[in-house]
Amino acid sequence: MATPVARSFLQVAATEEVASPLRVVQIEGLVILKIIKHCKEFSPALVTGQLLGLDVGSVLEVTNCFPFPIREEDEEIEADGANYQLEMMRCLREVNVDNNTVGWYQSTLLGSFQTVELIETFMNYQENIRRCVCIIYDPLKSNQGVLALKALKLSDSFMELYRTNNFTGEKLREKNLSWVDIFEEIPIKVSNSALISAFMTELEADTPVVQCDYDRLQLSTSPFLERNMEFLIECMDDLSTEQQKFQYYYRNLSRQQAQQQAWLQKRRAENMARKATGEEPLPEEDPSNPVFKPLPEPSRLDSFLITNQISNYCNQINGVAGQSFSRLYLTKALHEN
């Protein structure tokens, strides 16, 4: 009977384990309240903060958070922010609180968060953290009666392509990557301890209807729809600008190809004349000729992000319009009765 080969501790530690995919982001209720309070206090200004917790299997637990200070334009950007984060995490470690960074949170205005800056922040976090998420909170959308809170991460295929910084059409077709494959939304699960759940039960009102239920019946949605339409029109203008860049590129490409064909025909005719006189033919490709210099193809990343943003605005308008129609039909039925 063959005896199993004993492995040292270093060999076991060097063995790479296949990480299970991230399925759920579990957030404590107190963390959500902190995020909402921070974002609403400074609204409409955009704020950010650090998320702390544990990475356990396929669940990312968020157990604590702290806000980042809002910097003035004349202050130092990098050094002060890094020192503040390190000092906060040191203080939390001294009081035996989870101080493992699992991502960050940020506020947004009507879901306008899909930018290059968000992708760069994700890539910076990924250099030091194996898995991280970004919690997006929208105070303005939450005023419509819905908790606008979502957890996002970059898809693995997009991060691999972003590291190469090659967003040409050929590369995107090779990776089978489209604009919907940039971000992945992770389901959020709110977790509370048994004591907090019991305390919240004691705080529940005796009446079945509270003021929040009446607020959901407000018929005025014009400001929210108007802002969404304004942002949607701006995104359509930006997308039109990106399309003009590609049209300009393809026009130049077709013009260059026509110049190359004309040059090749002229060179072939010249070679035929040289052959007739017994001279050596000239090469049909001349790298020093500017006609054969490849034209740089514009990146499609900006157009992908703008398309993603347009889809987000359309979904928001569709959702608010559907709720408005439901409230109008309900009000009509009440008036008739």
Side-chain angles (χ1 to χ4, degrees), residues 160-219:
E160 181 182 353
L161 189 61
Y162 188 83
R163 291 188 180 98
T164 62
N165 197 20
N166 186 5
F167 287 95
T168 61
E170 180 182 357
K171 200 67 177 179
L172 292 171
R173 287 189 295 269
E174 178 185 339
K175 296 292 185 180
N176 195 21
L177 191 71
S178 64
W179 58 272
V180 296
D181 301 322
I182 298 178
F183 296 101
E184 293 181 7
E185 185 172 354
I186 310 299
I188 294 178
K189 178 183 177 182
V190 181
S191 173
N192 288 315
S193 64
L195 289 176
I196 293 179
S197 300
F199 180 67
M200 293 299 295
T201 304
E202 292 291 331
L203 291 179
E204 285 184 358
D206 297 332
T207 57
V209 180
V210 295
Q211 183 62 34
C212 183
D213 296 320
Y214 291 113
D215 293 340
R216 294 192 182 97
L217 297 177
Q218 290 184 359
L219 301 179

